[in-house]
Amino acid sequence: MKEKRAQFSSRFAVIATTVGSAVGLGNIWAFPYKCGVNGGAAFLLIYIACVLLIGIPVICAEFSIGRGTHKNVRGALRQLHSSRFVHSFSFIGLLASILILSFYSVVAGWTLEYLIEAISGQMTATPAADFSNHFSGFASSPYKSVAWTLIFLLCNYFIMRRGVKRGIERMSNILMPILFVILIIFCVHSFFLPEVGRGLKFLFHPDFSKITPSVVLGAMGQAFFSLSLGLSCLLIYASYFSDKENLIGSASLIAVLDTVVAVLAGVIIFPAVFSYGANVAEGPKLVYEVFPAIFASMSMGWLWAVLFFLLLFFAAITSTISMSEITIAFMTEEWGLSRKRASQVNTLVAMALGSLCALSFGVLRDFTIFGMTIFDLFEYISSNILLPLGGIVFALLAGWVIDRRFIRDQLTNFGSVNRRLYPVISFLMRFVAPVAILLIFLYGLKLLHF
Ligand code: PFF
């Protein structure tokens, strides 16, 4: 039986759920480490430019297609265009969402392990020098990492199964404000650290000599992943928006809030990194290796650790809920499966693939395809190929292929809002965004060298 299509019940819910999707491990784990590796403030500056010039117009493209049709990605494309070739682009998002869910759940699973270690006091009892070994030991243990991945996916399943209104909306309404409160507490704490000045200078005082083509393109890629762009995640959320929602306004607010969280994460992390003598260019291990060491040397460290990993877990689950919605809406609306059954299929596939990703830090470490472990391969295919491809497709579809009036009516609510902003967004969507994304794409495939 076809289930009635849900709608978010308030503007607050729209913002909370969409920001919940955008804000995740990408902001709190990936942004600070990438900013650290790429020279700090210069990276931040370009990142912000990318959010404004690519992020907002592509969000608008996904929003207008989703809200205008109130359908899943395939249904939406079918309604808007007769060509099967155009419909086939829906598979980019479906494939990307399942690949991202699989490897993302592994990193989210580490968060759960660290949360339990923090609660039990084990984390703050570990000598700071041992955290690197501790992380490697844990990540490579054959069962622990897999077990946490599966547990995380089960949490995701129980929320998903409840549906848009009861599961996603309620969860985001509660979790997103808590997330902001915890972040603010951490920021305040950072201001009392001895090296707060150095940390903030690193984040906000740009050294323009650090800007290289690879920093520019790295910042664009990060903006893409962080905003959940290109895989129809925002399209499907917009399909639950009401017709009164101001799409350009919401897109801008979401882009700003997502960026604020990334910057807050930087404000929290860099003063701490300098104060505790950690290496700012530590790389992807920054959160999972350096933070516990920092907590161990803080007074009330266990409490900060619990808050931090709780925050990371919340941020991760509101993101995985949104990626799961892409496949679940597809299976319920295109295949007629019940929401419960679709959630089960989604979870089982992610469990199988996620276990392989988790094992690639241990027993499958030497199993490589194109020189990459399964985890790295999934990350590479989704971030470097599928998201940029999807982003170009949405920008081109909304900018050039779909009836111009349809997009304009959506972005202006039939001429009642944003009449002056619309031409700017339209220009960015049609020209600026596709060209910029193309550069990321070619760079990701290593077809473009500077
Ligand atoms: N934007 C999320 C983050 O920053 O962690 C990651 C993400 C969520 C990517 C949802 C893709 C997606 F569909």
Side-chain angles (χ1 to χ4, degrees):
M1 196 187 73
K2 230 175 156 69
E3 290 172 25
K4 192 174 173 305
R5 213 157 198 291
Q7 232 182 44
F8 290 132
S9 49
S10 66
R11 178 158 166 76
F12 180 78
V14 163
I15 300 298
T17 36
T18 326
V19 172
S21 164
V23 173
L25 295 170
N27 305 63
I28 294 160
W29 160 72
F31 176 80
Y33 98 68
K34 288 191 180 163
C35 194
V37 170
N38 288 301
F43 179 88
L44 173 63
L45 208 64
I46 301 161
Y47 177 84
I48 291 175
C50 294
V51 168
L52 297 177
L53 298 177
I54 303 173
I56 293 177
V58 179
I59 300 176
C60 287
E62 288 202 29
F63 273 5
S64 41
I65 297 174
R67 204 271 302 268
T69 57
H70 293 296
K71 290 206 165 70
N72 73 83
V73 55
R74 192 172 175 79
L77 296 184
R78 227 185 6 238
Q79 177 177 327
L80 294 172
H81 209 275
S82 57
S83 150
R84 279 182 166 235
F85 178 66
V86 168
H87 306 165
S88 67
F89 287 121
S90 53
F91 284 103
I92 298 175
L94 293 169
L95 184 59
S97 71
I98 199 76
L99 293 183
I100 295 177
L101 181 62
S102 307
F103 75 77
Y104 201 90
S105 300
V106 175
V107 184
W110 296 340
T111 306
L112 284 174
E113 158 80 12
Y114 275 60
L115 179 60
I116 300 301
E117 286 187 17
I119 291 172
S120 69
Q122 192 191 337
M123 177 176 291
T124 33
T126 308
D130 283 353
F131 276 107
S132 180
N133 293 338
H134 179 76
F135 177 82
S136 309
F138 156 67
S140 63
S141 87
Y143 305 113
K144 244 184 166 176
S145 188
V146 173
W148 282 120
T149 305
L150 300 184
I151 291 170
F152 179 83
L153 281 166
L154 275 181
C155 297
N156 186 59
Y157 167 73
F158 284 115
I159 301 168
M160 285 314 303
R161 217 183 79 164
R162 295 173 69 87
V164 171
K165 235 185 151 84
R166 288 190 307 150
I168 303 173
E169 184 182 311
R170 196 169 294 173
M171 193 77 186
S172 302
N173 282 352
I174 300 168
L175 295 188
M176 292 320 291
I178 295 178
L179 187 92
F180 274 100
V181 171
I182 297 181
L183 277 177
I184 301 293
I185 294 172
F186 267 93
C187 277
V188 172
H189 171 263
S190 269
F191 282 106
F192 290 100
L193 291 175
E195 293 291 348
V196 58
R198 246 179 101 197
L200 295 183
K201 185 165 179 234
F202 180 79
L203 183 63
F204 293 120
H205 192 273
D207 172 357
F208 290 104
S209 68
K210 295 263 167 61
I211 299 182
T212 63
S214 76
V215 170
V216 175
L217 293 168
M220 280 207 265
Q222 172 61 17
F224 230 91
F225 187 79
S226 188
L227 292 170
S228 315
L229 277 186
L231 71 169
S232 73
C233 173
L234 298 178
L235 183 155
I236 194 72
Y237 268 22
S239 75
Y240 303 124
F241 288 3
S242 83
D243 290 336
K244 288 197 286 278
E245 201 55 49
N246 177 341
L247 297 187
I248 297 181
S250 300
S252 312
L253 187 59
I254 287 150
V256 168
L257 289 177
D258 186 66
T259 307
V260 166
V261 174
V263 173
L264 285 182
V267 170
I268 293 163
I269 285 168
F270 293 118
V273 165
F274 287 113
S275 300
Y276 296 107
N279 175 12
V280 72
E282 173 77 29
K285 298 187 280 184
L286 192 72
V287 165
Y288 290 94
E289 287 188 2
V290 176
F291 254 86
I294 294 169
F295 294 133
S297 63
M298 285 165 74
S299 64
M300 304 276 282
W302 72 271
L303 187 64
W304 293 116
V306 171
L307 279 175
F308 179 73
F309 288 106
L310 203 58
L311 156 79
L312 212 52
F313 170 71
F314 285 168
I317 204 148
T318 46
S319 295
T320 52
I321 289 170
S322 72
M323 4 177 148
S324 308
E325 190 60 21
I326 300 171
T327 41
I328 289 172
F330 176 83
M331 285 189 273
T332 50
E333 291 172 18
E334 297 295 309
W335 293 349
L337 295 190
S338 70
R339 190 166 178 95
K340 184 174 164 195
R341 182 48 55 88
S343 308
Q344 285 166 349
V345 173
N346 182 61
T347 304
L348 286 176
V349 174
M351 279 181 161
L353 296 177
S355 301
L356 293 177
C357 291
L359 289 173
S360 29
F361 291 88
V363 290
L364 292 181
R365 189 184 294 128
D366 297 325
F367 178 78
T368 55
I369 301 167
F370 303 124
M372 288 178 268
T373 64
I374 298 172
F375 183 99
D376 293 339
L377 185 75
F378 281 17
E379 228 238 88
Y380 185 86
I381 293 178
S382 48
S383 306
N384 291 355
I385 300 177
L386 297 174
L387 295 192
L389 200 62
I392 291 183
V393 166
F394 286 123
L396 293 180
L397 281 179
W400 299 93
V401 179
I402 294 167
D403 181 8
R404 289 279 283 283
R405 272 169 312 179
F406 176 89
I407 301 295
R408 193 188 55 218
D409 288 346
Q410 285 305 317
L411 292 180
T412 62
N413 286 0
F414 292 89
S416 61
V417 289
N418 298 325
R419 285 225 294 273
R420 262 191 288 181
L421 263 181
Y422 167 74
V424 180
I425 295 291
S426 176
F427 175 76
L428 293 174
M429 192 154 70
R430 287 159 60 88
F431 300 101
V432 179
V435 172
I437 296 167
L438 189 68
L439 291 177
I440 301 173
F441 188 50
L442 296 177
Y443 173 76
L445 289 177
K446 298 200 170 62
L447 296 174
L448 193 67
H449 296 279
F450 290 96

